[in-house]
Amino acid sequence: MKLIFATKNKNKLAEVQDLLAGTGIEILGIEGEFNPEENGETFEENALIKAREAAKIMNMPAIADDSGLVVGALGGRPGVYSSRYEQTDEKRISKLLDELKNTKAEERSARFVCSVVIVSEKGEILFSTTQTCEGQIAFSPTGYEGFGYDPIFYLPEKNATMAELTMEEKNKLSHRSKAFKKAMEWLLRS
Ligand code: IMP
C-alpha cells in the first residue's frame, strides 16, 4: 500500500518511515511545489487541508499530520501557529523561554498535539485522529536530537527533554507516533 505523506519536513518523513518500517505500508515524500495554505483553526482542519492538497497534486491517497505545541500558561499558544511563531527553531525556542521567564516550574505544563488525517485520491476523509504527549517547558534547551521545540520539551517520566531521546525512544511516546500508530492500525485493518 502506498500513500503520499503531505509534508516537506524531512525529519517528520524519517520519523514516520521509521515507525512504519516492516508493515508493508510505504510512505512517499511529496515531490515538487507544495505550499498549502494552513488557515484552519484546529490541528485537524490543517491536516485535512494538507492531505487534500497532496492527494490533488499526486492523484493518490494521502496522509497528513498537523502538529504543534500547546502551552497552558500561554492560554494554548503557540498551538496551530507553532511553526509560524518565529522563523527558525532557535528563535522559536528563545521567544517561548522569554514569554515564560516569570513562570514557575509547576505552571509550565505543555502538550504536543498531533492530528493525522487520511484522504482518498478524491479528497474524501477516510480516517482522522488527534493524539497528545504531555510534558513541561524546561528553563533552558538541552539535547540535539529531533527538531522544533524538542530541546525545551521536558518529559518528567524520562527525566530528559525530547531532544535527549533517540528517534526510537521518541517514537515510543510522541504525539505523532501515537497518531500515526492509530492510522497504521486503521490502514492494516482496511
Ligand atoms: P506542522 O505540523 O508541520 O505545521 O508544524 C508544527 C510545528 O510544531 C513544527 O514546526 C514544530 O515547530 C512544532 N512541532 C511539531 N511536532 C514537534 C515535535 O515532535 N518536536 C518539536 N516540535 C514539534
Side-chain angles (χ1 to χ4, degrees):
M1 181 181 308
K2 281 188 189 167
L3 284 168
I4 292 293
F5 185 16
T7 187
K8 281 275 179 189
N9 182 328
K10 296 253 183 308
N11 289 291
K12 275 192 187 177
L13 182 62
E15 270 184 24
V16 171
Q17 283 174 334
D18 178 69
L19 201 67
L20 298 179
T23 61
I25 301 166
E26 200 180 336
I27 297 279
L28 308 175
I30 194 154
E31 281 156 32
E33 276 284 295
F34 183 63
N35 292 309
E37 200 184 341
E38 293 178 41
N39 55 8
E41 282 176 16
T42 63
F43 294 107
E44 192 181 8
E45 279 173 24
N46 280 337
L48 181 59
I49 290 167
K50 290 190 252 188
R52 282 191 170 143
E53 178 77 5
K56 197 165 125 192
I57 295 176
M58 306 296 285
N59 197 28
M60 275 179 74
I63 187 165
D65 81 324
D66 194 64
S67 53
L69 182 64
V70 171
V71 180
L74 300 179
R77 285 190 301 112
V80 289
Y81 297 100
S82 293
S83 55
R84 290 164 277 179
Y85 181 59
E86 262 296 344
Q87 276 165 1
T88 63
D89 282 345
E90 211 180 320
K91 286 186 186 167
R92 287 188 268 270
I93 285 177
S94 57
K95 181 171 169 181
L96 189 60
L97 289 179
D98 193 52
E99 281 209 79
L100 293 178
K101 66 175 185 280
N102 296 321
T103 305
K104 291 185 229 134
E106 58 273 25
E107 286 158 14
R108 297 174 77 95
S109 67
R111 64 165 58 114
F112 275 129
V113 180
C114 178
S115 292
V116 168
V117 173
I118 300 175
V119 299
S120 69
E121 58 199 53
K122 289 186 192 141
E124 299 146 332
I125 301 177
L126 302 176
F127 174 82
S128 175
T129 186
T130 297
Q131 300 290 320
T132 64
C133 175
E134 308 290 328
Q136 292 162 10
I137 303 302
F139 286 90
S140 57
T142 321
Y144 301 97
E145 301 297 325
F147 68 98
Y149 298 93
D150 282 348
I152 53 166
F153 193 82
Y154 177 73
L155 297 150
E157 73 276 19
K158 291 276 172 194
N159 188 26
T161 67
M162 200 75 117
E164 293 180 286
L165 305 184
T166 61
M167 189 189 285
E168 201 185 349
E169 287 172 319
K170 181 175 175 182
N171 266 346
K172 283 192 184 133
L173 51 79
S174 84
H175 49 311
R176 192 163 23 262
S177 70
K178 288 179 194 165
F180 273 93
K181 271 179 198 148
K182 297 261 178 211
M184 184 176 78
E185 283 161 19
W186 180 83
L187 283 164
L188 292 172
R189 273 200 314 270
S190 359

